[in-house]
Amino acid sequence: MSNIAAIQDQFKAPFYLVWEITLLCNASCVHCYSGAGRRHPDELDAEEALSVVDQLAEAGVLLLGLSGGEALLRPDWMDIASRASSKGMMVSIGTNGAVIDDEMCRRIIEAGVSGICVSIDGATAEVHEQVRGVKGLYDKAVSAIETLVKHGINVTVGYTPTRLNFRDGRKVVELAARLGANGVNLSEFIPTGRGDQALALTPNELRDVIVEWISMQQEYAGKLKIYWHDCRVALMLPPEQAAQYIGCGAGYVTARITVNGDVTPCVTLPLTAGNLREQSFQDIWSYSPVLANIRDRTTRNEGNCGTCEHKFICGGCRSAALAYHNDASMGDPYCWVVPEAVQV
Ligand code: SF4
Ligand code: SF4
């Protein structure tokens, strides 16, 4: 069996798929990877969306994240979420919290949604709203978390460290705990969409953020789940915990569907593997050369990742490579383990 065939056999479906169901948004975040704001004219329509849900269920996707834009502004989000949950997928929704009230919580429960991720990008209104571009959004996000908790809905706080807010990480975790959230998730910033490279942390700053995050994971054990994602995860944990990680999961365990039905290997990796108006999800996932290439770490021959001894347990962030070098097979500019010759 060839390497690609073996991978196709092993990864019949992404474990976690993020779907941008609309680009309509009531915020204008500086780091938005979707460049969201207005509704996209070529959004998948209601019928197409339900067909996509059926295909994802058939393929075996376990976790479906509905994202945007502001996913809750799409009029038929409940139909999409209900169909997915009724087919056995765990559905989460990412939101900035602006439209969450008691009535919305009732709908979230009715649609069988497993969890809501509310973005908090600063421990104060000043920092949060500098990132999110809307006055008053901090109070709305805090109120959204309180309302979701009151209704017994599982809440994760989403935090993306950039130059504007990376010193707020610990305070965001403290806030999440105080509000009664179930978890906090750190997403790495990748300069794609509206996100400018000037917002990126240096490799050493990113390392310090991740090291603190891992230490908070232990501090808050049993009280608050602390999640994070970095391709270097297996290099940072004790061997007994590290064994389960394969580094960059793009095209292995993660994928994204864009608003017009493009399938990409990761939420921050804008390489189109196929479009769901032309091919089935299973066909794209199994046979796309784009996905095969991203999965194949022997194709990483350039930059720090090309010669790195950790290539097969880390792989380097392909989104970072594409964003910085305009070539996803190049090195990872944010790596502190084996820094690139040219620093960001
Ligand atoms: S150089 Fe690339 S493969 Fe090696 S540790 Fe850094 S990001 Fe990972
Ligand atoms: S491309 Fe980057 S963000 Fe996406 S799965 Fe790989 S390491 Fe993670």
Side-chain angles (χ1 to χ4, degrees):
M1 186 182 273
S2 73
N3 188 28
I4 291 175
I7 288 167
Q8 284 168 352
D9 195 50
Q10 189 178 355
F11 298 100
K12 289 198 167 69
F15 174 71
Y16 178 51
L17 185 139
V18 174
W19 179 4
E20 296 162 1
I21 58 172
T22 183
L23 289 190
L24 182 62
C25 196
N26 44 11
S28 53
C29 309
V30 291
H31 60 330
C32 182
Y33 61 77
S34 308
R38 294 192 178 160
R39 184 173 180 272
H40 192 282
D42 205 19
E43 194 172 282
L44 294 176
D45 67 25
E47 194 180 329
E48 289 172 319
L50 293 181
S51 158
V52 167
V53 173
D54 293 348
Q55 291 181 50
L56 299 180
E58 179 81 12
V61 171
L62 292 177
L63 303 179
L64 176 63
L66 300 181
S67 161
E70 173 56 46
L72 295 171
L73 293 182
R74 179 167 166 141
D76 59 345
W77 73 264
M78 267 190 89
D79 297 336
I80 297 170
S82 303
R83 179 84 143 235
S85 62
S86 74
K87 289 190 171 261
M89 280 182 269
M90 288 183 70
V91 180
S92 66
I93 299 179
T95 175
N96 58 39
V99 296
I100 302 242
D101 57 11
D102 288 321
E103 171 58 17
M104 186 59 86
C105 288
R106 191 194 60 70
R107 288 192 216 160
I108 287 166
I109 293 167
E110 191 186 325
V113 172
S114 306
I116 299 289
C117 181
V118 181
S119 298
I120 295 274
D121 276 323
T124 60
E126 186 189 358
V127 176
H128 181 72
E129 290 164 14
Q130 187 186 9
V131 175
R132 301 239 142 216
V134 176
K135 283 269 166 226
L137 194 53
Y138 178 81
D139 284 346
K140 285 185 179 163
V142 167
S143 163
I145 295 168
E146 289 169 337
T147 309
L148 289 158
V149 168
K150 184 178 80 181
H151 285 268
I153 296 168
N154 190 296
V155 189
T156 299
V157 166
Y159 166 66
T160 303
T162 65
R163 295 229 65 76
L164 300 177
N165 64 351
F166 74 101
R167 293 196 170 82
D168 272 23
R170 177 169 284 277
K171 288 183 190 150
V172 168
V173 170
E174 286 166 4
L175 175 67
R178 219 166 41 243
L179 293 172
N182 303 82
V184 188
N185 180 55
L186 180 148
S187 299
E188 256 174 49
F189 168 71
I190 305 291
T192 185
R194 198 156 50 227
D196 190 274
Q197 276 185 8
L199 290 171
L201 305 185
T202 66
N204 287 344
E205 285 168 344
L206 178 60
R207 175 202 59 207
D208 292 348
V209 165
I210 300 284
V211 165
E212 181 169 47
W213 213 254
I214 293 172
S215 98
M216 287 194 289
Q217 227 172 18
Q218 286 149 11
E219 277 173 51
Y220 280 87
K223 294 177 229 153
L224 190 67
K225 290 196 173 129
I226 302 205
Y227 309 98
W228 57 283
H229 166 78
D230 184 282
C231 51
R232 289 154 287 262
V233 58
L235 310 176
M236 302 183 72
L237 295 175
E240 64 279 9
Q241 288 176 39
Q244 60 180 306
Y245 293 101
I246 60 159
C248 173
Y252 287 89
V253 290
T254 71
R256 165 181 66 166
I257 298 173
T258 68
V259 72
N260 66 340
D262 283 348
V263 176
T264 80
C266 163
V267 71
T268 51
L269 187 50
L271 290 177
T272 303
N275 185 281
L276 293 168
R277 286 180 169 133
E278 292 155 14
Q279 279 177 278
S280 71
F281 179 79
Q282 193 66 74
D283 266 6
I284 296 169
W285 186 254
S286 299
Y287 303 114
S288 158
V290 170
L291 294 179
N293 192 49
I294 284 291
R295 290 167 186 150
D296 184 359
R297 294 190 182 168
T298 64
T299 61
R300 290 166 208 181
N301 294 318
E302 304 284 343
N304 52 356
C305 300
T307 52
C308 180
E309 61 177 308
H310 307 302
K311 179 155 74 172
F312 292 98
I313 56 168
C314 167
C317 177
R318 296 305 88 206
S319 305
L322 183 73
Y324 197 72
H325 298 293
N326 205 24
D327 181 345
S329 71
M330 299 286 280
D332 181 339
Y334 303 122
C335 181
W336 63 87
V337 180
V338 183
E340 284 218 290
V342 181
Q343 285 283 300
V344 295

